[in-house]
Amino acid sequence: MTITEAALQLLSIGEVAARTRLSVHALRFYEREGLLVGPVRRTSGGRRRYTSLDVDWLLICVRLRESGMPLADLKHFAELVRHGPGNEAERLRLLDAHRQRVDAQIQALEECRSVIAWKVGVYAEHLARDEAGGLWDPTA
């Protein structure tokens, strides 16, 4: 099977929901909000049919959203992709700005984890010595 044939295998909204871990309602929302890069095909009865390329795009969208990309940025990114070649530098700027935000979040979380690890060590040490009384006790 060629890439084109695989891309043209049509999937139901339920199959796409299972592959992307998005609910059927979320898939409809993504479509309504213009987050897909192509129109969703329909059967003669009006049922949505997605391609594997749609699924690949949705998986990217899921990761971008899970990493905190604002919906407006995701919409803009999808719009740029829909417009085709010629705006790659703008796409790169958008993705790089998001990567920088994610890097900052990771740094902040690593600092939080460090404080938590230190505090766990303090408590573990005091409990091991049976000296836990008074640790951050507001009544002491």
Side-chain angles (χ1 to χ4, degrees), residues 38-55:
V40 176
R41 299 170 189 220
R42 304 275 182 150
T43 67
S44 58
R47 294 185 180 271
R48 289 170 175 83
R49 290 293 182 244
Y50 298 85
T51 66
S52 60
L53 294 176
D54 293 325
V55 172

Side-chain angles (χ1 to χ4, degrees), residues 10-97:
L10 300 179
L11 305 165
S12 72
I13 195 167
E15 291 169 320
V16 173
R19 290 182 186 197
T20 61
R21 294 179 288 133
L22 289 169
S23 70
V24 168
H25 298 292
L27 288 169
R28 290 182 185 130
F29 172 80
Y30 272 48
E31 182 181 355
R32 240 185 353 266
E33 292 297 315
L35 297 174
L36 299 174
V37 291
V40 176
R41 299 170 189 220
R42 304 275 182 150
T43 67
S44 58
R47 294 185 180 271
R48 289 170 175 83
R49 290 293 182 244
Y50 298 85
T51 66
S52 60
L53 294 176
D54 293 325
V55 172
D56 292 343
W57 173 256
L58 285 164
L59 290 170
I60 292 169
C61 290
V62 166
R63 289 297 181 200
L64 292 172
R65 287 295 291 150
E66 285 177 346
S67 63
M69 179 178 272
L71 191 57
D73 286 356
L74 186 54
K75 282 181 174 182
H76 185 57
F77 184 56
E79 182 180 309
L80 291 170
V81 172
R82 270 194 304 277
H83 282 125
N87 58 28
E88 292 82 4
E90 189 173 354
R91 293 184 216 178
L92 175 60
R93 280 191 298 276
L94 191 148
L95 290 171
D96 191 50

